[in-house]
Amino acid sequence: MYCLRQWTLVFLGLLLCSRVGMAQQNAETMASAEAAMLEKIYNASLTDGAAYEWLRYLSTRIGGRLSGSVQAEQAITYTKKELEALGLDRVWLQPVMVPKWVRGKAEFAYIESTPGNTNNVPIRALGGSVATPVGGLKAGVVEVSGIEDLKSRDPEDIIGKIVFFNRPMDPTRINTFEAYSGCVDQRHSGAKEAGMLGAVGVIVRSMNLRLDDFPHTGSMSYGDLPVPQRIPAAAISTNGAELLSTTLKLNPDIKFYFAQSCRQLEDVESFNVIGEIKGSENPEKVIVVGGHLDSWDLGDGSHDDGAGCVQSMVVLRLLKKVGYTPKHTIRVVLFMNEENGLRGGRKYAEEVARKGEHHLLALESDAGGFSPRGFSFDCSPELLNQVLAWKPLFEPYLVHQFYAGGSGADIGPLKPNATVLAGLRPDSQRYFDYHHSDADTFEAVNRRELELGAAAMTSLVYLFDNNPPKALPPGSE
Amino acid sequence: MYCLRQWTLVFLGLLLCSRVGMAQQNAETMASAEAAMLEKIYNASLTDGAAYEWLRYLSTRIGGRLSGSVQAEQAITYTKKELEALGLDRVWLQPVMVPKWVRGKAEFAYIESTPGNTNNVPIRALGGSVATPVGGLKAGVVEVSGIEDLKSRDPEDIIGKIVFFNRPMDPTRINTFEAYSGCVDQRHSGAKEAGMLGAVGVIVRSMNLRLDDFPHTGSMSYGDLPVPQRIPAAAISTNGAELLSTTLKLNPDIKFYFAQSCRQLEDVESFNVIGEIKGSENPEKVIVVGGHLDSWDLGDGSHDDGAGCVQSMVVLRLLKKVGYTPKHTIRVVLFMNEENGLRGGRKYAEEVARKGEHHLLALESDAGGFSPRGFSFDCSPELLNQVLAWKPLFEPYLVHQFYAGGSGADIGPLKPNATVLAGLRPDSQRYFDYHHSDADTFEAVNRRELELGAAAMTSLVYLFDNNPPKALPPGSE
């Protein structure tokens, strides 16, 4: 009996060893096959990439693609054609009604230090703003450091004034998106808050970490403010903001003049552009990659978010290039109207929910076409742990940040129907030099940085497809 | 007896626990103090940095600083003045004789497909090259993929020809410096090898990963080749190289013409610029940071290596800004003549050896002013292990690569007298777009990327100074 038990234990031990050994060997074989596939993906992207030339067309032949504009329609036609040329299993347009805001003629502004003594400064209307009166608007200026500061002022001092929001982005934040988050409320809600207090206009310091002459637009909202209280709002360049602030310090009684003729029109129909490769084993499970096809009308929207669109398109192209047959359906979505409505993202998520589709992964690139540094993941801690096991595979490519965090605006609404949401995280140091301004042009994009981002995205998609994390909730695999 | 032993063990155990606990607590206190100091350094660099404005002067007011040029002398005067303004303990110039090569009048070149049917292409003489005959040089062309390929050809095919070295940089290397290393032999030794075989001239594809119109110069050497065999050599832009290669494929009998009037003059006296803060505890031990003050004459040498110079100067400025008193002597050296002679680096090392100085750390920044990704260390594995313990301190700043590797050309000669050599490793994707060409200008430098590199360097210097690695060889601490 004793002897038998001992032998049994030895036998079980040997069996266990051999199983552990086999499992280890399998894991190593798997990791090595995965490493080889990543190398193929990166090599294809760096030697035979399409992202840069697609972006060249989108940026230099079409340009800024504000929702509802002719350029937005041209971009839909162009990207659909390019996706069709990839020989995907299906390419289609998903209709969505989008807001149409137009800038009108060029804005004009000056600081009037004394009557007749003026300095022109560069401004651009914020997206969604109302126009000034036809002849423009001139008033005294109250400089505030933000909405809290505004609310702390004597209301009498605000009535009839232009409120100048001048809180700069915090340069000590290493991740510049954190600095942006710390400032953007004054751009988004400054006019609503100031309008409630009887101000006549709002000027906001551009969300930019450097001093230059580019005003940076962006979305703003009046919320449910009654129409008569809706006051015009514009961004001023950082150099302009410095000049205005200095002038105010010398003489608080100076006047500011600005004129803009922007307006909100009726909603129009537009489209998300979608293409997919059907999964060979689990076609009902979807991995989606995307960026947003609309952009602001300043510059040509190369970094925001032409880069993310072409990178997402390239994911499907690269998978084909390297001869990989996806097990799950791999889909690219070029979302319409991220900038001033998020209608495309919401529409796509609605359709997903309506059809009961499940998304294993939704991955967005909307942080510029810069050297990829990593990914942020919005998922359970268990899943994040599984995903972290892939980190070493990315080390040769200097992709080193895998962390829990937000993903992307367009894919946010997918959360109830997606296991993992993720965002590509490129180096953020230069992004806000360009973002939402005339400076966001094709010349500011480096081909290698763009293609490396596309390769990183393709690699992550491949890993999710080939061997999805095991900690998925029941039924999601 | 038994009881006594047991109590002794318990007592020893408690003692050990308390020692371990104290050591752990000390280590934690130390790490937290170090983290706080890094935060101060980074904040100072990002809010009150000087690197960018110094670089603006060096680049836009002085410009390209080839050894022996007026601009190199202006740069010496300017940087010495700025170092003096920092209130260092000592600032001085270290004389060094440097080679003086001058470009002469602008180069000119064309491809002659058929007599009278020509296409101009951009070229620039390689540094150290001889001139063409006054009226230029026209000959048939042999395209080769490198020196090996050249040597494999029938020597009869080379005589009287212009050899066109057209091996491109390997785009699949993630570290672009590896791609550069894989190509640079044709630029450095191509003319020597082709001259030995009776060729009359050499044209080399620019060391650049993108297709553009900038020829990239760089050093070349004829070695001990007799003067009559020394043939002129020039770099052609990558677009020019593609055109020449295509034209040759269509008709191997085309001719290439080029004219350049560069020449080597007598050596002249120049200087390394040096400044230091004396150590408060071990002034005889030195930590040196540096870059090279000379540059090529194309562009203004902003990335190569104006960036490294101002970052190195900033290290001393930041240590003062944050109120840190160094224990060891902290020295900045702006080396002269890295590009075409390395005389400054050699001279500095000679003087160090002569005086019997010991360097704890020599750190060079000569890879561009881009987002810092890490450091490479040339030291013993034991020391590297010690240094690796600091890696977590850099994670909040996205500095993630600590690896064994080369340091910098200028500090290489210091090896016999230095415990650790190190190099700042910025993101390398864009570097060769600018390197040694008209495109290396101030506009290509982003302020935050530059200042982040300076902060990373200052942090490493602080850590070495405050708590040098314990595995140092006897007598080196």
Side-chain angles (χ1 to χ4, degrees):
Chain A
M1 183 67 185
Y2 177 81
C3 204
L4 185 65
R5 263 181 68 192
Q6 209 167 37
W7 277 113
T8 310
L9 283 173
V10 168
F11 175 75
L12 283 173
L14 284 171
L15 193 71
L16 197 67
C17 282
S18 110
R19 289 247 166 138
V20 167
M22 273 173 65
Q24 197 177 333
Q25 206 177 354
N26 284 348
E28 278 168 18
T29 310
M30 170 76 89
S32 138
E34 288 171 342
M37 182 56 87
L38 261 62
E39 193 179 345
K40 281 175 81 171
I41 289 169
Y42 269 87
N43 286 354
S45 191
L46 289 167
T47 58
D48 186 23
Y52 193 68
E53 293 308 319
W54 283 340
L55 185 62
R56 186 196 299 276
Y57 192 101
L58 208 53
S59 297
T60 67
R61 300 284 296 273
I62 298 175
R65 305 168 293 281
L66 195 52
S67 290
S69 67
V70 173
Q71 290 90 339
E73 298 310 298
Q74 287 176 309
I76 291 163
T77 306
Y78 171 66
T79 52
K80 176 166 181 279
K81 184 184 67 108
E82 290 293 350
L83 288 176
E84 283 166 348
L86 293 182
L88 305 182
D89 294 317
R90 194 178 163 217
V91 176
W92 73 101
L93 299 182
Q94 183 173 60
V96 55
M97 294 302 289
V98 297
K100 183 176 170 91
W101 177 84
V102 293
R103 185 171 298 281
K105 64 183 180 186
E107 301 85 342
F108 179 62
Y110 59 76
I111 301 166
E112 187 180 80
S113 308
T114 54
N117 180 11
T118 61
N119 281 100
N120 295 354
V121 284
I123 66 155
R124 291 284 183 277
L126 294 182
S129 174
V130 297
T132 57
V134 175
L137 170 67
K138 186 154 77 176
V141 181
V142 178
E143 176 177 338
V144 296
S145 65
I147 289 169
E148 287 309 300
D149 184 15
L150 172 71
K151 288 182 174 171
S152 74
R153 301 300 179 97
D154 182 345
E156 287 301 311
D157 293 345
I158 305 300
I159 292 169
K161 294 284 175 51
I162 291 171
V163 174
F164 169 37
F165 288 94
N166 194 29
R167 182 160 83 262
M169 285 172 71
D170 178 357
T172 67
R173 298 297 184 115
I174 304 300
N175 179 342
T176 61
F177 284 85
E178 291 176 8
Y180 180 67
S181 299
C183 265
V184 74
D185 62 334
Q186 58 189 358
R187 187 195 79 202
H188 186 265
S189 308
K192 177 187 157 201
E193 299 295 340
M196 283 168 63
L197 294 171
V200 293
V202 155
I203 296 294
V204 185
R205 182 190 182 96
S206 283
M207 309 283 128
N208 181 357
L209 281 150
R210 74 176 174 189
L211 294 175
D212 64 26
D213 299 315
F214 299 108
H216 295 235
T217 190
S219 65
M220 54 83 67
S221 166
Y222 297 110
D224 50 8
L225 203 64
V227 171
Q229 282 178 278
R230 297 185 177 194
I231 58 176
I236 186 169
S237 72
T238 45
N239 274 335
E242 293 289 302
L243 182 67
L244 178 54
S245 184
T246 306
T247 312
L248 276 169
K249 279 185 188 72
L250 294 171
N251 176 7
D253 298 328
I254 61 142
K255 302 268 190 271
F256 191 86
Y257 169 90
F258 73 116
Q260 57 191 32
S261 57
C262 46
R263 59 199 175 116
Q264 195 77 43
L265 307 178
E266 292 295 304
D267 288 2
V268 297
E269 185 179 57
S270 188
F271 304 92
N272 293 327
V273 181
I274 310 180
E276 71 181 22
I277 302 171
K278 276 269 174 239
S280 60
E281 295 179 12
N282 299 93
E284 76 289 359
K285 304 289 179 202
V286 180
I287 292 174
V288 72
V289 286
H292 62 85
L293 193 52
D294 67 306
S295 74
W296 285 103
D297 54 335
L298 308 181
D300 60 31
S302 280
H303 277 296
D304 187 14
D305 183 28
C309 288
V310 297
Q311 286 175 325
S312 299
M313 292 162 70
V314 155
V315 169
L316 279 68
R317 182 178 183 271
L318 283 177
L319 291 175
K320 281 183 160 273
K321 278 267 161 202
V322 300
Y324 179 72
T325 306
K327 297 169 181 169
H328 309 83
T329 292
I330 314 287
R331 185 181 291 168
V332 54
V333 183
L334 309 180
F335 297 94
M336 184 50 67
N337 186 230
E338 188 270 350
E339 293 294 2
N340 58 339
L342 209 62
R343 300 277 185 88
R346 291 207 186 99
K347 180 68 174 191
Y348 178 74
E350 271 169 38
E351 289 298 303
V352 163
R354 196 178 58 77
K355 292 178 193 161
E357 275 182 0
H358 188 78
H359 282 40
L360 283 185
L361 167 70
L363 169 62
E364 180 154 4
S365 167
D366 184 20
F370 306 98
S371 270
R373 302 293 295 254
F375 299 99
S376 55
F377 295 95
D378 179 1
C379 61
S380 70
E382 294 74 26
L383 273 168
L384 184 59
N385 266 337
Q386 302 266 333
V387 167
L388 280 172
W390 292 327
K391 209 180 148 186
L393 288 166
F394 286 90
E395 270 170 23
Y397 308 103
L398 311 186
V399 169
H400 62 108
Q401 288 188 284
F402 277 53
Y403 62 96
S407 54
D410 296 291
I411 60 175
L414 275 175
K415 197 165 164 72
N417 294 292
T419 307
V420 177
L421 303 183
L424 179 70
R425 294 294 154 217
D427 194 283
S428 75
Q429 300 313 318
R430 291 170 283 152
Y431 188 60
F432 292 97
D433 292 355
Y434 309 122
H435 183 246
H436 295 184
S437 83
D438 286 339
D440 187 4
T441 61
F442 184 65
E443 292 68 35
V445 177
N446 173 279
R447 178 181 197 133
R448 288 180 63 82
E449 293 191 293
L450 183 74
E451 302 283 10
L452 285 170
M457 291 171 71
T458 311
S459 299
L460 190 70
V461 165
Y462 153 73
L463 291 167
F464 261 93
D465 180 73
N466 189 51
N467 188 22
K470 293 290 178 280
L472 297 182
S476 65
E477 243 184 276
Chain B
M1 183 70 182
Y2 177 82
C3 203
L4 185 64
R5 263 181 68 189
Q6 210 168 37
W7 276 112
T8 309
L9 282 173
V10 168
F11 175 75
L12 284 174
L14 283 172
L15 193 70
L16 196 69
C17 282
S18 111
R19 290 247 166 137
V20 167
M22 272 173 68
Q24 196 178 331
Q25 205 179 353
N26 285 347
E28 278 168 17
T29 309
M30 170 78 85
S32 138
E34 287 171 343
M37 182 57 84
L38 261 63
E39 192 178 347
K40 280 176 82 173
I41 289 168
Y42 269 86
N43 286 354
S45 192
L46 289 167
T47 59
D48 186 22
Y52 192 68
E53 292 308 319
W54 283 339
L55 185 63
R56 186 196 298 276
Y57 193 101
L58 207 54
S59 296
T60 67
R61 299 284 295 274
I62 296 175
R65 303 168 294 280
L66 194 52
S67 290
S69 67
V70 173
Q71 290 90 339
E73 298 310 299
Q74 287 177 308
I76 291 164
T77 306
Y78 171 66
T79 51
K80 177 165 178 279
K81 184 184 66 111
E82 290 294 351
L83 287 177
E84 283 167 349
L86 292 183
L88 305 182
D89 293 317
R90 193 176 162 218
V91 176
W92 73 102
L93 300 183
Q94 183 174 60
V96 55
M97 294 301 291
V98 296
K100 182 176 168 92
W101 176 85
V102 293
R103 184 171 299 281
K105 65 183 181 186
E107 300 86 342
F108 179 62
Y110 59 76
I111 301 166
E112 188 182 79
S113 306
T114 53
N117 180 8
T118 62
N119 282 100
N120 296 352
V121 283
I123 65 156
R124 292 283 183 277
L126 293 182
S129 174
V130 297
T132 56
V134 175
L137 169 67
K138 185 155 77 176
V141 180
V142 178
E143 176 177 338
V144 297
S145 66
I147 289 169
E148 288 309 299
D149 184 13
L150 172 71
K151 288 181 175 171
S152 74
R153 300 300 177 97
D154 182 345
E156 287 301 311
D157 293 345
I158 305 301
I159 292 170
K161 294 283 174 52
I162 291 170
V163 174
F164 169 36
F165 289 94
N166 194 29
R167 183 160 83 263
M169 285 172 71
D170 179 356
T172 67
R173 298 298 184 114
I174 304 301
N175 180 342
T176 61
F177 284 86
E178 291 175 11
Y180 180 67
S181 298
C183 265
V184 74
D185 63 335
Q186 57 189 358
R187 187 196 78 202
H188 186 263
S189 309
K192 177 186 157 202
E193 300 294 340
M196 283 168 63
L197 295 172
V200 295
V202 155
I203 296 293
V204 185
R205 182 190 182 96
S206 283
M207 308 282 127
N208 181 356
L209 282 150
R210 74 176 173 188
L211 293 176
D212 64 27
D213 299 316
F214 299 108
H216 295 233
T217 191
S219 64
M220 55 83 66
S221 167
Y222 296 111
D224 51 8
L225 202 65
V227 171
Q229 282 179 277
R230 297 184 178 194
I231 60 175
I236 187 169
S237 71
T238 45
N239 274 335
E242 293 289 303
L243 182 66
L244 178 54
S245 184
T246 306
T247 312
L248 276 169
K249 278 186 189 71
L250 294 171
N251 175 8
D253 298 327
I254 60 141
K255 302 269 189 273
F256 191 86
Y257 169 90
F258 73 115
Q260 57 191 35
S261 59
C262 45
R263 58 197 177 116
Q264 195 76 43
L265 306 177
E266 292 294 306
D267 287 3
V268 297
E269 186 179 57
S270 188
F271 303 92
N272 293 327
V273 180
I274 311 180
E276 69 180 24
I277 302 171
K278 276 270 174 239
S280 60
E281 293 179 15
N282 299 95
E284 75 288 0
K285 305 290 180 200
V286 180
I287 291 174
V288 72
V289 287
H292 63 85
L293 194 51
D294 68 305
S295 75
W296 284 104
D297 54 334
L298 308 181
D300 59 32
S302 279
H303 277 296
D304 186 15
D305 182 28
C309 288
V310 298
Q311 286 175 325
S312 299
M313 292 163 69
V314 156
V315 169
L316 279 68
R317 182 176 183 273
L318 283 177
L319 290 176
K320 281 183 160 275
K321 277 265 160 205
V322 300
Y324 179 72
T325 305
K327 297 169 182 169
H328 308 83
T329 292
I330 313 286
R331 186 181 290 168
V332 55
V333 183
L334 309 180
F335 298 94
M336 184 50 66
N337 187 229
E338 189 269 351
E339 293 293 3
N340 58 340
L342 209 63
R343 301 276 185 90
R346 292 207 186 99
K347 179 68 173 191
Y348 179 74
E350 272 169 38
E351 289 297 305
V352 163
R354 195 177 60 76
K355 292 178 192 160
E357 276 181 2
H358 188 79
H359 282 40
L360 283 185
L361 167 70
L363 169 61
E364 181 155 2
S365 167
D366 183 20
F370 306 99
S371 270
R373 303 294 294 254
F375 298 99
S376 56
F377 294 94
D378 180 1
C379 62
S380 70
E382 293 75 27
L383 273 168
L384 184 58
N385 266 338
Q386 301 267 332
V387 168
L388 281 173
W390 292 327
K391 210 179 146 184
L393 288 167
F394 287 90
E395 270 170 23
Y397 308 104
L398 311 187
V399 169
H400 62 108
Q401 288 188 285
F402 276 54
Y403 62 97
S407 54
D410 296 291
I411 59 175
L414 275 176
K415 196 164 164 72
N417 294 293
T419 307
V420 177
L421 303 183
L424 179 70
R425 295 295 153 216
D427 195 284
S428 74
Q429 300 313 318
R430 291 170 284 151
Y431 188 59
F432 292 97
D433 291 355
Y434 309 121
H435 184 246
H436 295 184
S437 83
D438 286 340
D440 186 6
T441 61
F442 184 65
E443 291 68 34
V445 177
N446 174 279
R447 178 179 197 134
R448 287 180 62 82
E449 293 191 293
L450 184 74
E451 302 283 11
L452 285 170
M457 292 172 69
T458 310
S459 299
L460 190 70
V461 164
Y462 153 73
L463 291 167
F464 261 94
D465 181 73
N466 189 50
N467 188 23
K470 293 290 178 279
L472 298 182
S476 66
E477 244 186 272

